[in-house]
Amino acid sequence: MSMLKDIQKVFFSKEELEAIARRLGSQISRDYENRNLLIVSVLKGSVIFMADLMRNITIPCKIDFITASSYHAGTESSGNVSVTDDLSVKDVHGYDILIVEDILDTGRTLQKLSDIFARKGANSVTICTLLDKPERRDKSVKIKPTYIGATVENEFVVGYGLDYDQKYRNLPFIGILKPEVYDNTNAQEETH
Ligand code: IMP
Ligand code: MG
């Protein structure tokens, strides 16, 4: 059965998401000219955005992937973040790292990843997030995203990489699910 029956409302259409990738891609291409850009996609949520964004970046760059996991209960993140699959680049010295993320919620995941890359000696670490939920930011979080696709209210969104219970990532747009689809009772280890 189609996933579309579970969607309550579309927030960002395919065309709007393409426009975001174009805007941020050209901004990044300007800002990183003559630098040593390494784009790090946080799996799995950022894959679709990453694929669109990198095709809009016109300067030479390398790409890499990292997997961060945290214990989730339904739609709430606990803040216990760990790296489960590390970069294939072993020495980040000299790289200007741009972390590409699907959504910045409490910010704990990106705080942790930024700290790790800075400690390992990256030349610089900046963040490009497709969506930002500033209202949800944890007080302990100090990082600020340099590139933001769009800001969203405190609502749980799915599609274009973003999941609920690992599903709906393959929707070509971003939207919210009908309330009856959410079941917050399932605690689980979740890959972002
Ligand atoms: P943070 O560490 O709380 O910032 O968690 C960010 C991660 O939580 C994202 O990479 C997503 O995997 C997940 N997340 C937060 N908000 C949403 C949402 O609205 N929809 C889907 N996933 C979300
Ligand atoms: Mg997720």
Side-chain angles (χ1 to χ4, degrees):
M1 226 197 292
S2 168
M3 293 177 290
L4 295 177
K5 71 174 187 339
D6 295 340
I7 302 302
Q8 168 127 322
K9 191 175 165 212
V10 175
F11 278 1
F12 301 99
S13 68
K14 188 170 173 283
E15 291 71 28
E16 285 169 319
L17 293 165
E18 280 164 3
I20 287 173
R22 275 199 301 276
R23 170 172 62 81
L24 295 179
S26 60
Q27 222 178 315
I28 291 163
S29 305
R30 274 196 308 276
D31 294 352
Y32 281 84
E33 209 168 1
N34 303 317
R35 289 172 68 190
N36 194 14
L37 178 58
L38 175 65
I39 312 175
V40 174
S41 157
V42 184
L43 294 172
K44 305 170 189 163
S46 74
V47 280
I48 300 183
F49 177 47
M50 172 74 164
D52 281 349
L53 181 71
M54 61 190 270
R55 280 178 289 186
N56 283 286
I57 292 177
T58 53
I59 56 168
C61 62
K62 291 184 184 175
I63 67 163
D64 210 335
F65 299 89
I66 197 162
T67 308
S69 291
S70 57
Y71 192 74
H72 276 239
T75 58
E76 290 288 318
S77 138
S78 70
N80 266 334
V81 182
S82 62
V83 170
T84 48
D85 290 295
D86 209 346
L87 300 181
S88 60
V89 168
K90 288 304 163 220
D91 184 3
V92 298
H93 280 97
Y95 281 113
D96 294 299
I97 295 183
L98 179 70
I99 307 175
V100 175
E101 177 63 305
D102 54 358
I103 188 163
L104 201 52
D105 189 38
T106 65
R108 292 176 191 136
T109 308
L110 287 199
Q111 181 72 60
K112 172 97 179 200
L113 294 181
S114 302
D115 289 348
I116 291 173
F117 295 145
R119 199 170 60 238
K120 287 186 171 174
N123 204 35
S124 63
V125 182
T126 53
I127 292 164
C128 175
T129 189
L130 172 62
L131 300 178
D132 188 16
K133 274 186 193 170
E135 277 176 47
R136 294 262 310 159
R137 204 75 85 249
D138 197 279
K139 280 186 200 70
S140 68
V141 168
K142 298 189 178 56
I143 48 112
K144 292 219 160 41
T146 306
Y147 307 96
I148 301 171
T151 298
V152 286
E153 304 287 306
N154 185 11
E155 260 165 317
F156 197 83
V157 291
V158 297
Y160 196 71
L162 291 144
D163 72 300
Y164 171 63
D165 198 16
Q166 297 299 330
K167 294 189 288 271
Y168 305 101
R169 295 193 197 273
N170 53 324
L171 287 169
F173 55 82
I174 289 178
I176 50 168
L177 295 171
K178 292 178 181 160
E180 61 264 31
V181 181
Y182 293 111
D183 174 8
N184 284 317
T185 57
N186 280 351
Q188 63 199 295
E189 176 76 26
E190 185 179 298
T191 298
H192 293 196

